[in-house]
Amino acid sequence: KQEVTQIPAALSVPEGENLVLNCSFTDSAIYNLQWFRQDPGKGLTSLLLIQSSQREQTSGRLNASLDKSSGRSTLYIAASQPGDSATYLCAVSHNDYKLSFGAGTTVTVRA
Amino acid sequence: EAQVTQNPRYLITVTGKKLTVTCSQNMNHEYMSWYRQDPGLGLRQIYYSMNVEVTDKGDVPEGYKVSRKEKRNFPLILESPSPNQTSLYFCASSLVGTAYEQYFGPGTRLTVT
């Protein structure tokens, strides 16, 4: 059974600092990995998807890397802003039909 | 606008009273799924569907039913809700393949008293 771990559980940084969020998974035979953002009481917004054959994906200030051999992915958010405050979830899939989620990292960016 | 919609967004009901949470997507996605999110347990899959008339159990299917009669709709049915089904429910959809991200609905917060 795939176990997905996100460390730290919570993070507080001053505005402008770069954010580094970690995700680890136990079974490296993944299909793809997706990073989501969740605002309190809201749904999940997809940020980046990395296919198993890829090493990284970038979108604006966001960059996600994938190291399948070590079972790790890292989400980097450059020059953080208060609007980046949210919970960030990592999800791993082995097939077309199921995502295994981590518990999330709750980020607070202080103005 | 491409989206997954859920209704209702909030629901308070009593034990044993049948209810249905609707989910609809306008992206012609083959795959649809239901998850529940609980504090300390994270997101867990309830049921999923790979196409019309094709459904299968996820990790926590007990107490739930689904149907997929049309490609765009995937309702979640609680025949006899119990308090342990109090949760935040999400519907998701995607195209099938490694390159395709899952899109999530806004969530339905269900309270069963």
Side-chain angles (χ1 to χ4, degrees), chain A residues 7-8 19 21 26 31 37 47 51 62 64 66 73 82 87 91 98:
Chain A
I7 295 173
L19 286 164
L21 308 180
T26 53
Y31 200 59
R37 169 186 172 137
L47 298 174
Q51 298 179 67
L62 276 59
L66 173 64
S73 176
T87 296
K98 180 184 173 183

Side-chain angles (χ1 to χ4, degrees), chain B residues 56-98:
Chain B
D56 211 340
K57 297 177 180 178
D59 293 323
V60 288
E62 295 77 20
Y64 304 95
K65 285 177 58 177
V66 293
S67 67
R68 187 95 181 270
K69 294 183 170 52
E70 304 167 285
K71 197 171 187 178
R72 63 183 292 127
N73 296 322
F74 190 46
L76 179 69
I77 303 157
L78 284 71
E79 296 264 356
S80 182
S82 63
N84 65 12
Q85 293 178 298
T86 293
S87 187
L88 181 57
Y89 291 87
F90 290 103
C91 180
S93 74
S94 74
L95 294 170
V96 174
T98 61

Side-chain angles (χ1 to χ4, degrees), chain A residues 11-102:
Chain A
L11 187 58
S12 179
V13 300
E15 184 176 3
E17 191 164 302
N18 296 333
L19 286 164
V20 180
L21 308 180
N22 297 301
C23 172
S24 62
F25 46 93
T26 53
D27 185 346
S28 62
I30 67 169
Y31 200 59
N32 60 36
L33 183 147
Q34 204 166 346
W35 282 95
F36 293 90
R37 169 186 172 137
Q38 185 175 24
D39 293 286
K42 301 286 182 66
L44 280 68
T45 301
S46 179
L47 298 174
L48 290 168
L49 178 141
I50 310 176
Q51 298 179 67
S52 62
S53 59
Q54 298 174 323
R55 300 276 301 180
E56 68 176 345
Q57 278 287 351
T58 298
S59 177
R61 293 185 294 113
L62 276 59
N63 173 275
S65 66
L66 173 64
D67 183 344
K68 278 200 310 177
S69 61
S70 65
R72 293 181 185 178
S73 176
T74 303
L75 178 66
Y76 301 90
I77 303 177
S80 61
Q81 305 166 359
D84 294 327
S85 298
T87 296
Y88 291 83
L89 296 165
C90 167
V92 174
S93 75
H94 291 288
N95 45 48
D96 283 321
Y97 53 85
K98 180 184 173 183
L99 289 175
S100 296
F101 282 86

